[in-house]
Amino acid sequence: MNDTPGWNPPGSAPSDGQDGPAIPGQSSPPETNDSAPRWSKDQPPAGRWSPPQDGRGPAHRPGRARGNPPPQLGRSGPPAEKPGVIPLRPLGVGEILDASVAILRRYWRTVLAVTVTVAVVTQVALVFVQRYLSTEPPALHADASPSEQLEAASAYLRASVTELAPTMLVSVAASVFTSALLTVVVSRAILGRPVTLAEAWREASPRLPQLLLLSLALPLGAGLLATAAMLPGVLLGGAGGATLAFLGGTAAFVVVISLLIRFSLASPALMLERQGIVPALKRSAKLVKGAWWRIFGITLLTQLLIMIFTMILTIPFAAIAFAVDSTGSTLSWTYLIVMGVGGIVSSALTYPIAAGVTVLLYVDQRIRREALDLELAKAAATPVDH
């Protein structure tokens, strides 16, 4: 496998000699030698990319004066410096977040067609799961014996585990579908190209089975690792076993976070480079190497912002649900439906932000490591055939 395959947005010629359609908008792919990397002759040596030094222009590279735009490639069209939602240079944190919002604003018809549909299906499924599989905590009297407390806690834990499996499957399926289609949208937005829902589906659908397996493998692997780390303490029992289980769980948590960040770019690698599951994981590890803390910080910041935004949207719906529900139960149809509507609104708006940040981080790392901006500038300057 070629360790540094060229840029392959959905619809472009894939790497590693695989067959695939042309660059978005072109009637046929250019004739190239699939056995060689498709890099410009102007590519700088590996590792020469660095972040902008003064925040006013691209980082210095051999042959380009600081602050001067690259030569325009191709015929008339938008400047290659920023053909779409991002400038073609290493990105800052604010630029990544701004571009994610800009994609939602500029391509709102396609984005909301994806996210609203997925959010409605997801929330309907979760409402039924919560209604029929969830169990409210058992009411215990004040003088309940330790055995009664343990029995009630065990029953509630079993019910929670029963609810967790279908909830996780629904959430993973929703994540896979939105990630696949929104990756196509983001890849077009980077080049300033329009994209419809039908085009996004046509480009993404062949990769859905592999993306589903990848999305299931990561949480399942994390769960197995955590179980293996805590199992000796659980089997030992007593105070010593509880301490051992806690230490094992803490160590597993650190390792899981490390691995999840290391493989966080596998999804866009699988979609945009037409990689298999294992090559996509290796590709992600290679791109993240040396930038783990930066990607961790941006990912954590994004998730915190999404969580805060979701809470802001959820609080009014929770107040309405408690106001209109006369039973006072969090498992009543009224409460679940109102909260489901709130979930649809928040999910429809946060799905594209999360997906956009992941894809833009992937693109940013390739710009920093592999001068992908040269490939993107060429693709953006290529006239689109209609």
Side-chain angles (χ1 to χ4, degrees):
M1 183 191 71
N2 184 8
D3 285 340
T4 56
W7 168 254
N8 283 306
S12 67
S15 61
D16 298 329
Q18 302 175 31
D19 295 331
I23 292 174
Q26 289 187 344
S27 57
S28 61
E31 294 182 0
T32 58
N33 182 7
D34 290 338
S35 63
R38 290 188 290 277
W39 297 119
S40 167
K41 64 181 181 180
D42 299 326
Q43 180 189 355
R48 295 297 296 274
W49 267 112
S50 61
Q53 301 300 313
D54 55 8
R56 295 176 296 177
H60 175 71
R61 69 170 68 178
R64 180 189 300 179
R66 183 184 301 274
N68 293 334
Q72 298 298 311
L73 303 175
R75 290 178 283 180
S76 62
E81 186 70 17
K82 189 178 179 181
V85 295
I86 60 170
L88 300 185
R89 56 170 171 75
L91 303 175
V93 178
E95 289 173 318
I96 291 176
L97 295 174
D98 288 344
S100 299
V101 177
I103 292 168
L104 174 60
R105 186 170 59 248
R106 186 177 301 184
Y107 297 85
W108 65 270
R109 289 184 178 87
T110 302
V111 170
L112 292 183
V114 174
T115 58
V116 171
T117 302
V118 173
V120 169
V121 174
T122 302
Q123 291 299 321
V124 168
L126 291 179
V127 164
F128 279 96
V129 169
Q130 292 171 352
R131 182 67 177 83
Y132 293 109
L133 295 182
S134 294
T135 302
E136 291 185 337
L140 293 174
H141 50 275
D143 56 347
S145 64
S147 61
E148 291 176 331
Q149 295 177 2
L150 180 60
E151 182 179 355
S154 299
Y156 184 65
L157 180 61
R158 287 193 298 270
S160 299
V161 172
T162 302
E163 178 190 357
L164 178 63
T167 299
M168 187 184 74
L169 289 176
V170 170
S171 299
V172 168
S175 175
V176 167
F177 191 84
T178 53
S179 295
L181 271 69
L182 293 177
T183 297
V184 177
V185 175
V186 175
S187 70
R188 298 289 186 92
I190 291 171
L191 300 177
R193 304 277 174 82
V195 59
T196 64
L197 179 60
E199 291 172 338
W201 171 253
R202 185 168 58 251
E203 302 288 358
S205 56
R207 314 297 298 171
L208 283 175
Q210 286 184 307
L211 187 59
L212 177 62
L213 292 176
L214 174 64
S215 300
L216 287 173
L218 292 177
L220 287 177
L224 290 175
L225 179 61
T227 301
M230 297 176 64
L231 186 60
V234 173
L235 295 177
L236 180 62
T243 302
L244 182 60
F246 173 78
L247 294 176
T250 302
F253 176 78
V254 173
V255 173
V256 165
I257 294 298
S258 175
L259 292 177
L260 289 180
I261 297 300
R262 184 180 183 185
F263 298 135
S264 61
L265 304 183
S267 173
L270 185 146
M271 292 293 301
L272 298 178
E273 298 181 19
R274 289 176 170 81
Q275 299 274 12
I277 296 176
V278 174
L281 292 171
K282 293 180 178 178
R283 188 81 171 108
S284 175
K286 182 177 180 180
L287 291 173
V288 172
K289 185 178 181 180
W292 189 96
W293 284 107
R294 179 175 183 272
I295 294 176
F296 170 75
I298 296 175
T299 303
L300 180 61
L301 175 62
T302 302
Q303 293 303 317
L304 287 175
L305 293 176
I306 289 176
M307 182 179 68
I308 293 172
F309 182 70
T310 301
M311 289 177 59
I312 293 174
L313 289 178
T314 302
I315 289 174
F317 285 95
I320 294 172
F322 279 114
V324 300
D325 181 30
S326 59
T327 65
S329 172
T330 58
L331 297 180
S332 66
W333 281 113
T334 302
Y335 180 87
L336 292 175
I337 290 173
V338 173
M339 293 302 295
V341 173
I344 291 172
V345 175
S346 62
S347 297
L349 297 177
T350 56
Y351 277 153
I353 304 300
V357 168
T358 300
V359 179
L360 292 172
L361 274 173
Y362 161 84
V363 172
D364 177 55
Q365 284 302 111
R366 291 203 59 191
I367 288 176
R368 292 170 182 271
R369 298 287 180 83
E370 302 166 357
L372 180 63
D373 56 321
L374 300 178
E375 286 293 307
L376 294 175
K378 288 182 179 180
T382 302
V384 179
D385 296 330
H386 296 286

